[in-house]
Amino acid sequence: MLLSIGDRVREGTYCVHSRFDRAVNFVRGGRLVSVVSAEIGAGPANLVVAGSARDFCGAAPRLIIRRGSVTLSDRRHVIRRTPVYRSDLARDEVPGRRFARNFKSLEKWVPQFSNPWNFLLLLDPHAAPGPDLLSRQFARRIRAGAKDMLDGLNNPRRLARGSRLLAGCGFGLTPGGDDFLAGAMMALHLAGNLTNTDYSRAIATIHAAARTRHRLSAHFLGLARDGFVAEPMKNLIGALLHGSAREVRSCGRRVLALGETSGADLTAGFVLMLKSLPATLRGRRQNSGSRGVNPRGASMLLPPCRLDRQEAEFWPPWGEPTGNLKTKARK
Amino acid sequence: MITLGRIKKGAYHDSVSLMRVGKSIAGTDGVAEAALVMGTKSNLGILKASGLLISDFAKATDTDLLLAVKARDAKTAEAALNAAEAALKSKAAAVGTSSGETLPSDLDGAVKVLPGANLALISVAGRYAGSLAMRCLEKGLHVMLFSDNVPIEKEIELKKFAAKKGLLVMGPDCGTAIINGIPLAFANVVRRGPIGIVAAAGTGLQEVSTIISNEGSGISQAIGTGGRDVKKEVGGIMFLAGLKALAADPQTKVILLVSKPPHPSVLNRVRREVRRIRKPVVSLLLGAEGDGPKTLEEAALQAVALATGRKIEDLQDRVGSQSRPRRARGRRKYVRGLFSGGTFCAEAQIILEDTLGQLYSNAPTGRTKRLKDSLKSQKHSFVDLGEDEFTVGRPHPMIDFSLRNKRILAEAADPETAVILLDVVLGYGSNMDPAAELAPVIRTASRKVPVVCSVTGTDGDPQNRSRVVKALKAAGAIVMPSNAAACAYAGNAAKAGGK
């Protein structure tokens, strides 16, 4: 059964790229659609299914998305009434003390999930790299990269150098460094929305430095550049702005549970980048180079991600999303 | 030393598989370093700095998997590369569909594949597990529900329905059971015998079943119910059903009941049912008032005594066999318990609350207060690292020791820690080589404070209990025969340290 469909899913015939228990990835040129189980949750290009994604897809080599239907092998699923997940980050109120307090709590909490092979190592003052040379070199490289990137927010050359050191660095199908950079770009989008500051140049620099031929990484980095985020991250942001410390941890756990180390790497990039933007955490508005509308005018409380049939907003996946505040604001 | 490598075009694996295979290859004889990474520019840089870069890797792209090994000679390196490839293949086959094994896509398919089956083990996300369990019950199958996060209303509905049909629902959040001699989920290899167990405590069930087996007796059936079964809302429906099933089972001569603190109303119902049964019943309802055993170990030994006719005094006096506690240096006075099993954490609090006074825990039982911050110990602290707050996004601490290892070192560095108390749980599902992961940490920590632990398991377990105990002792741990004995030792050590 299909539970939800992401707003960045587009019509077409996709070929299988990789299969895991909780996610099966299909690609078409530079586009990607992931069939995922509910534990992973909704995302810009995710089809969320009940039960195991691998079982749902079976051995199907292709995924065909047409107006109103999704076909896997000979099984056709009607999606006319399937809720659509909106993945854009809406503008929000200028953050207050709650945001700063919640962020501090998140920053203090996440390092416990660090290990010698994920990027949370950068947030853990007590972390030691693994005993082998490879782990030590990995730690050295990500520390150097992160320092350059975060110190170089106002220095494009340094920002690019740091991003290049991190891009593609790490283990697994999507290297942890790419997840880290995606998290950093999401943080810049959030900070930009909250403080009405334009970080588009920094985002573009990071994205350009992270250019890769790896289709999955390229896709995720592209979505992060454009400010489209998955449900667990959107919920975490909502909890940081409006929830309690407990809710932050609860939502944080769901982000950390993404992939094998992807969630941890994404969180590391998000937290470290936000930490390097103290003005956002203080709730002050920066004026340098800002553009766009008055955030009060476009203010919208970031809604929790609702995917109930009755409440979910639906538009066909082949059409352009409506009501995207960011698009409106830039016109 | 020679470095060899291979490029696997377009191969993909998750990061944890790559890290685990890399680590295991690097640990083999004659291999100095090993790496399995995607062929990105950054990773090539890391390989170069690690001395693992070979010229062929220049041809690799971001989507290729690189295998690199530095070994004492070419033959060893080739063997390591072959082993790495074989390990990755077997991992893929284990989760893939290419092994030729039929993987049914739904319940109806599964029933067709195995028509004689009468039990379904369910492990899917909690929000879907309830309805799937109901479908299994409707098909006349007993259910073991490994999934957690099933709403309590659904649990009640399932259990009421099952009770009407004479079926068992073990769970939700049931991690251990032994049915007809087959260990299910986290369970140990134990002898078969005359003792039947009903438990609303997973690691509690493991502890009593292994002690019984190690004492020469055995288990007829071990039925888990899930911890919530003995709460007021559920009313012990399956605890009572399990008790009745064992009462009717001709192979069960003695019944052993194990539970975390039950609700008084449930306790009364259980007591009423026990009075009707003609077989001897030993019950350990942790924290409940009254006579009877106070620890898992005592309960297991009593059951063995009843089943074998041996006198309980003749059985090994495990708690009394402890040596004089080792004192930590300086004025260290607090016990720091770091548990992977929730029942062990609860048992430790119950055993030590009178001895030590005020205790703190992230999973408080009895008079224990809740820790303000689970990451930071205060005074006598008992942390259940299997609680949800620690397990989302990482394997259970019975499998992955990294979090607890870090915490052991942090507690040892705390000048107030008098003794560190641990549990090590063996069996299916648990870490396959716990000694290798714990020994270096224990060696470091035990230079500052005594590290006392118990090892739950049998020599029949894949890890082999005797071998694990020997390795932990060699690393400096004080290994006690049960969790209760380890708690008693830790309590005495802390009292001695506080003086």
Side-chain angles (χ1 to χ4, degrees), chain B residues 149-212:
Chain B
N149 296 319
V150 175
I152 195 157
E153 299 76 22
K154 192 74 192 174
E155 177 175 353
I156 295 167
E157 183 194 341
L158 287 171
K159 289 186 168 174
K160 282 185 175 166
F161 183 79
K164 263 189 210 161
K165 292 193 76 172
L167 296 169
L168 288 176
V169 175
M170 297 184 277
D173 203 10
C174 175
T176 307
I178 303 169
I179 303 297
N180 293 338
I182 307 293
L184 298 173
F186 288 97
N188 302 84
V189 179
V190 297
R191 296 169 209 261
R192 293 214 70 187
I195 301 174
I197 305 171
V198 183
T203 37
L205 195 159
Q206 287 190 269
E207 175 85 332
V208 293
S209 63
T210 53
I211 291 174
I212 288 168

Side-chain angles (χ1 to χ4, degrees), chain B residues 301-352:
Chain B
L301 294 179
Q302 275 193 19
V304 174
L306 286 165
T308 58
R310 288 152 73 187
K311 286 183 184 168
I312 190 143
E313 298 81 32
D314 294 343
L315 288 164
Q316 192 182 349
D317 185 1
R318 291 158 166 271
V319 182
S321 68
Q322 62 178 280
S323 51
R324 199 172 163 184
R326 205 186 110 197
R327 265 186 65 174
R329 285 180 204 156
R331 288 195 62 79
R332 291 166 169 263
K333 50 189 175 179
Y334 295 125
V335 177
R336 299 289 158 81
L338 304 173
F339 294 93
S340 56
T343 316
F344 291 146
C345 186
E347 187 184 42
Q349 294 168 52
I350 288 161
I351 291 173
L352 293 172

Side-chain angles (χ1 to χ4, degrees), chain A residues 98-99 101-102 236-248:
Chain A
R98 180 192 290 266
F99 178 68
R101 201 171 53 231
N102 281 344
L236 174 62
I237 292 169
L240 279 169
L241 287 162
H242 309 293
S244 64
R246 201 185 177 88
E247 284 164 331
V248 170

Side-chain angles (χ1 to χ4, degrees), chain A residues 115-119 121 130 132 135 138 170-171 261 265, chain B residues 19 23:
Chain A
N115 66 41
W117 305 284
N118 73 27
F119 280 69
L121 189 70
D132 55 305
S135 302
F138 169 72
F171 305 84
T261 57
D265 301 328
Chain B
M19 285 184 268
K23 210 173 155 188

